[in-house]
Amino acid sequence: MLQQFLDSLIADGTLGGMPRDVAYLIGMLGAGALVVFGFVLNISGVTTFVERRVWARIQSRIGPNRVGPQGILQWLADGIKLLMKEEAIPFAADSALFKLAPFVVTVGFITAFVAVPFSSALVIADLNLGILYITSMTSLVVVGIMIAGWASNNKWSLIGGIRAAAQIVSYEIPAALSIFTVILITGTLSMQGIIQQQGWGPWDWFIFHSPFTFVGFFITFVSLLAEGNRTPFDLPEAESELVAGFVTEYSGARYLFFFLVEWGNLYVISAILVTLFLGGWQVPMIPGLAESPFWLNLTQAVTFIVKSYAGVITMMWIRATLPRVRVDQLMSTCWKYLLPIAFVNFMGTALWVLIWPEGFRFAELALTLLGFSMVVYFFYRVVFHLRRSGAELTFSPLS
Amino acid sequence: MSIAGFEVEVDRGRGLETEEMTLNMGPQHPSTHGVLRFVVKADGEIMRRAIPDVGYLHRSIEKISEKVGYHGFMPYTDRVDYVAAMFCNQGWGMVTEKLADIEVPKRGEYCRVIAAELNRISSHLLSVGTMILDIGAITPFFHAFREREKINDLLEELCGARLTYNYMRIGGVAWDLPPGYEEKVLAFLSQFDRMLEEYDDLVTSNKLFRARCSGVAAISPADAAAYNLVGPNLRACGVRYDVRRDEPYSVYPELEFDVPVGTGSAGAVGDSFDRYLVRILEIKESIKILRQCFQQIPDGPVVAKVPRKLKPPAGDVQIRVESARGDMSWYAVSDGSEFPYRCKVRTGSFAAMGMIEELSKGLMLADLVTVIASLDIVAPEVDR
Amino acid sequence: MVGGFNAYFSNIFEVASTVFEGMAVTFSHFVRKPTTIQYPDRMAIRVQDTLPYRYRGILEVDLEICTGCLACERACPIDCIVIDAKKDKSTKKMMLNRFDIDIAKCMYCGLCSEPCPTGSIHHTPEFEGADFSLESMMRRFVKQPVAAYKPKKVEDDPEVAPILERGMRYLDEFADPAGKTGTDS
Amino acid sequence: MTEFSMFPVVFYLMAAITVGSAFGVAFTNNIFYSAIALMFTLLGAAGLYVMLAADFVAVVQVFVYVGGILVLTLFAINLTSRIGDVSVSNRSLGRFPSFLVLGLIGYSMVRAIRTAAWNVVEVGDPVPTIEAIGDAFLTQYILPFELASLVLLAALVGAVVLSRKELKEVRG
């Protein structure tokens, strides 16, 4: 789309005699800036606000509600405050690497957005190895974290960096293995390709494709949580143990970058999960919708963002519920539980695809029913807790 | 030490030698519960030992007593352990009463027990709340503090302050229960019962939480005795000893309650989980005691007649109170004048603090905060 | 390996089920009413009005009913109350020249208001004491020397009577250690 | 008139990053700096792969070398280096042997460049290479592929043996 647009601009002479490649470069940089400033930064910022409000409600509080209507601009105020703060670089720190680290982290995070699909047409680049590209780019984040941990010249930071490395390298394996289960089914690495093979209904989603993908979904979820340094795996910055882990010595704008990545990563993790297991942007083909590309893409994008954001809120909700695991437990979870099960899943899916290349309808429907009954039982428990507490209820998200 | 649920002995005699790292944890650290400092000798994630460094919060409270007199010292005792100030009030009251031979009216004793047990609940809530916060879960902390705020409201109504109560006087308590207090407390307790069940569902039964605490820093009864561990920490080791039951004071003989001990339900007896669980069970016992108190409380005065200028006969006296952090022992010497000659407090946190260096050997770095929190150390109580 | 397969799968099941239960508890909080009090500006009534009667806020002195007996000064364990009361030679009256309370020092223990015979020195529900200088934390109640109050059998001065009534009521409910039960103290 | 193309510019940029940071790896005194320079070398090489339309190799380069091996290198440095003493240098072998090695490598490279037949291939739009790679691995190159797997497995077992601590089970 961008290429066509630039070609048309060149053709009618708006850009003068600018060489084609330079025009492409400027166009891509412009589009990139638009995406970064228009979407990526905002989604990270809004996520911090939403996280604080979600936590607050879980903890019987209200959360930030002063800046802007209902506090919606709190993230902007925080960001501006951090940008204007003095940045202290410790005297004994390695100042070049200390400054480099936030940028490595941010690059690793923002480049991942290139392959995230929002609708059937709305994707920056539909790489044919999209999912592999995203996982490889996010691995840059850990390098940044390690640089930060080492360059701060602080022992807490160093331990945080080491923990981050050990954790992310370990959890990449079960994550990759369970991502491969989906790839076994689809036969493509492209994000769009994976979504196109699913349907709008839950029974057409890959999570309910077979018992193995059902388990694989949870393994992927847990491993990606660990890769995103989220509770219960937030050991690298465990504030009660390591003060603030690898960000201990950071302040001001550089500190901001780390948290930009941390919260933006939530969205990337969710987007991966939604793409792989939860049907992506698939919407029911209502007659009339298919004819209008604009409305089709809009509904698809809304569907995708709503699904991903549900995932983001789930991660916040998990963070508000669970305690942190210990380092040895972290490792045993990965190597003793997730990895063997992921292997079994991988083999199982391979067999499943061999036996039923087109999917097994009965299993899909049964698993959908299982998932649905789990949700129903969950709400039964919620109501049970509500009744037992006898608490005053309010259904307004605003108070 | 334990790795992944297995009790193993790590042979460090051969193989790769790693460098020992000295970490300075505190005095300003998020989970040292006040101003505390630990010098941690660590080998990667595993601690060789953690040496506590105390004294940052020393405020000479014992010395102050020599200058302000018997009545005037009461508000200072609030500051000995600000999380459970009622017990310090009660301790000072009791030691002076014994020194000057003052009889506390029955209703006064009941008021004291009601206030103290409410305070015990709030103190234990703080303890378990901060423990789970240190382990990494944030929400249970807020839930515990929400309930604690309700107790603070009740205590505020009783004595006008939320933290430094100064509720008790020598010879009784300063104020009788306000009108309608019984209904309010009982209403709170019935709501709090349900909240405790919810807390159990959210925290106590949580496998991740149990895994973090099970087998961490398990203390044997012999070790506990050797290090003079007291209170819930001692009971978690399986020793059924409670000053309220074994050396009864106040009206505790008239009240029925159990003394919960650690059973090792998550791992070893006397581990961090047992210490946590004993506190939760003690909260339940305190609720029982409170309900009985309101049934049994007689009418009558709440404070005995005590001269404004109290001059106890010369002599020395020692009493013990079961504080939220265990056996709190008060010792006072009178020389017959209006000021105490000497006063000394021995607190539960101090004993627990002494044990950390021994306990920390071979634990993971993350376990240190669990141990500190599970021993329920309150820094000002250590230093006074 | 101890436990074997059973332990392995029961571990997984335990984690899953307890996490499930915990998530249900936290989810139920989404629809519970928050308990936050939005002090100070978003409240139906001021915080000060919600505080219980016995609340020990910043001290205040009603000079009209102060007898100048110095009981509060003696009771104060940190000497934050300074009273200068002298008998005027010419009028034979007890004159209050100075009655200062250093709020910066005060620890709100309430020991001073207990011995007061008239309830002159009492706690208010005010607690917002933040200020820019230590000097302004010094509450000077005597602007110019006034005569101390002399207790009478029946108060007939219409100006002093309501103040005294308030003071006695305060004594009755707050400062009198016997409370409402009435004792011999 | 041939249109100005960004292609050579990007190529020389990538090459400069790769070679420059490779010099950094070799010459810097600080081992941590070496590792960071290595990251840029690897990323530059990945960029060159992209320019050769070998996107799969490029992504795997980043995934495996940056995400895996470099992180492990940094991990090892973090664990072993004394944090107060950052200038842990990589020891050189001495001038003479290094020039010898340099000369040998330089000679063979120059020779290779001179003897190679430089077929100029028309660079079209990048085509997906994964399937071709997969096919090649499982048909023509299956033996080397399996052998490589075996070597990796041996390395894995070796690492476990090396790093394993002597654990004595006391109670399970």
Side-chain angles (χ1 to χ4, degrees), chain A residues 19-22 25 94 97 128-129 132-133 135-136 139-140 142-143 146-147 150 153 158 162 165-166 169 189, chain D residues 3-7 30 32-33 36 39 55-56 59 62-63 66-67 71 74-75 78-79 81 83 86 128 130:
Chain A
R20 182 177 295 254
D21 283 0
V22 177
L25 182 69
D94 190 316
L97 289 181
N128 58 25
L129 26 82
L132 202 59
Y133 170 80
T135 43
S136 70
S139 65
L140 268 183
V142 62
V143 178
M146 293 211 71
I147 298 175
W150 187 83
N153 203 359
L158 186 74
I162 293 175
V169 167
L189 288 167
Chain D
E3 203 187 1
F4 171 77
S5 170
M6 289 290 283
F7 203 82
N30 186 327
F32 200 84
Y33 282 2
I36 301 304
M39 176 179 85
D55 48 358
F56 181 75
V59 167
V62 176
F63 191 53
V66 178
V71 169
L74 289 176
F75 189 71
N78 273 354
L79 276 181
S81 76
I83 188 161
V86 292
I130 317 163

Side-chain angles (χ1 to χ4, degrees), chain D residues 60-71:
Chain D
V60 168
Q61 163 100 351
V62 176
F63 191 53
V64 173
Y65 281 91
V66 178
I69 290 173
L70 182 72
V71 169

Side-chain angles (χ1 to χ4, degrees), chain A residues 29-44:
Chain A
L29 285 179
L34 196 72
V35 170
V36 168
F37 289 107
F39 185 76
V40 178
L41 297 189
N42 296 337
I43 206 138
S44 304

Side-chain angles (χ1 to χ4, degrees), chain A residues 118-396:
Chain A
F118 290 97
S119 75
S120 53
L122 201 62
V123 55
I124 301 172
D126 179 23
L127 303 174
N128 58 25
L129 26 82
I131 184 71
L132 202 59
Y133 170 80
I134 290 181
T135 43
S136 70
M137 278 306 151
T138 46
S139 65
L140 268 183
V141 173
V142 62
V143 178
I145 288 174
M146 293 211 71
I147 298 175
W150 187 83
S152 298
N153 203 359
N154 175 325
K155 287 168 191 165
W156 300 116
S157 304
L158 186 74
I159 295 179
I162 293 175
R163 279 185 179 188
Q167 170 178 336
I168 294 176
V169 167
S170 310
Y171 275 83
E172 250 172 22
I173 300 165
L177 268 178
S178 21
I179 286 171
F180 287 155
T181 57
V182 172
I183 291 164
L184 277 179
I185 300 169
T186 60
T188 174
L189 288 167
S190 152
M191 299 287 266
Q192 294 286 38
I194 292 168
I195 294 174
Q196 274 155 10
Q197 294 190 22
Q198 306 180 57
W200 66 272
W203 48 89
D204 282 333
W205 295 352
F206 282 148
I207 177 176
F208 299 128
H209 183 269
S210 70
F212 302 109
T213 49
F214 188 71
V215 177
F217 169 75
F218 292 102
I219 292 180
T220 319
F221 188 52
V222 172
S223 324
L224 288 180
L225 270 183
E227 281 199 62
N229 298 339
R230 292 291 296 187
T231 306
F233 306 107
D234 59 342
L235 288 102
E237 45 185 300
E239 69 280 345
S240 60
E241 298 153 23
L242 302 184
V243 189
F246 55 90
V247 286
T248 306
E249 296 290 352
Y250 280 89
S251 55
R254 297 200 176 90
Y255 181 81
L256 181 68
F257 274 119
F258 281 108
F259 279 87
L260 187 88
V261 172
E262 162 138 14
W263 271 282
N265 245 338
L266 288 189
Y267 187 83
V268 175
I269 291 170
S270 284
I272 294 174
L273 282 172
V274 168
T275 305
L276 291 179
F277 291 102
L278 301 178
W281 39 252
Q282 290 282 6
V283 287
M285 275 299 151
I286 306 164
L289 198 62
E291 280 89 70
S292 143
F294 174 75
W295 287 109
L296 179 68
N297 277 303
L298 190 69
T299 37
Q300 285 173 341
V302 168
T303 312
F304 189 83
I305 291 175
V306 165
K307 276 181 188 173
S308 322
Y309 228 79
V312 171
I313 288 176
T314 308
M315 279 184 264
M316 295 166 179
W317 168 29
I318 287 176
R319 187 169 179 190
T321 308
L322 296 182
R324 189 183 301 122
V325 300
R326 207 167 45 208
V327 181
D328 57 332
Q329 291 162 354
L330 178 92
M331 287 299 151
S332 71
T333 311
C334 178
W335 298 105
K336 279 171 65 182
Y337 291 94
L338 295 184
L339 193 61
I341 299 174
F343 259 120
V344 170
N345 268 331
F346 187 71
M347 296 299 173
T349 313
L351 279 178
W352 191 276
V353 173
L354 205 65
I355 300 169
W356 295 291
E358 298 302 317
F360 184 36
R361 205 60 181 160
F362 174 73
E364 283 168 21
L365 291 175
L367 280 167
T368 313
L369 203 66
L370 174 70
F372 186 69
S373 51
M374 273 168 74
V375 172
V376 168
Y377 179 67
F378 179 77
F379 279 101
Y380 163 75
R381 291 306 296 175
V382 169
V383 171
F384 168 79
H385 288 303
L386 276 177
R387 288 198 168 182
R388 187 177 60 190
S389 74
E392 208 177 331
L393 302 188
T394 168
F395 290 95
S396 153

Side-chain angles (χ1 to χ4, degrees), chain D residues 133-153:
Chain D
I133 292 173
D135 279 343
F137 267 142
L138 290 182
T139 53
Q140 197 180 350
Y141 298 106
I142 184 130
L143 187 65
F145 181 70
E146 293 294 332
L147 277 178
S149 314
L150 210 63
V151 170
L152 285 177
L153 189 68

Side-chain angles (χ1 to χ4, degrees), chain B residues 35-110:
Chain B
V35 191
L36 262 182
R37 177 164 166 254
F38 290 89
V39 180
V40 181
K41 306 269 187 198
D43 170 13
E45 286 278 351
I46 296 167
M47 281 188 295
R48 295 266 168 84
R49 58 205 195 120
I51 305 152
D53 182 6
V54 298
Y56 289 93
L57 268 170
H58 184 65
R59 291 146 299 158
S60 319
I61 285 178
E62 289 156 1
K63 187 77 186 165
I64 287 172
S65 74
E66 295 164 23
K67 295 287 162 196
V68 293
Y70 290 93
H71 289 291
F73 187 52
M74 191 59 86
Y76 285 99
T77 60
D78 289 336
R79 274 81 178 167
V80 170
D81 175 2
Y82 51 58
V83 184
M86 282 296 178
F87 301 102
C88 311
N89 276 192
Q90 195 178 10
W92 180 242
M94 279 167 65
V95 78
T96 319
E97 283 148 17
K98 200 168 171 191
L99 211 52
D101 201 17
I102 298 165
E103 177 86 12
V104 181
K106 205 76 181 173
R107 190 176 173 87
E109 289 283 21
Y110 271 99

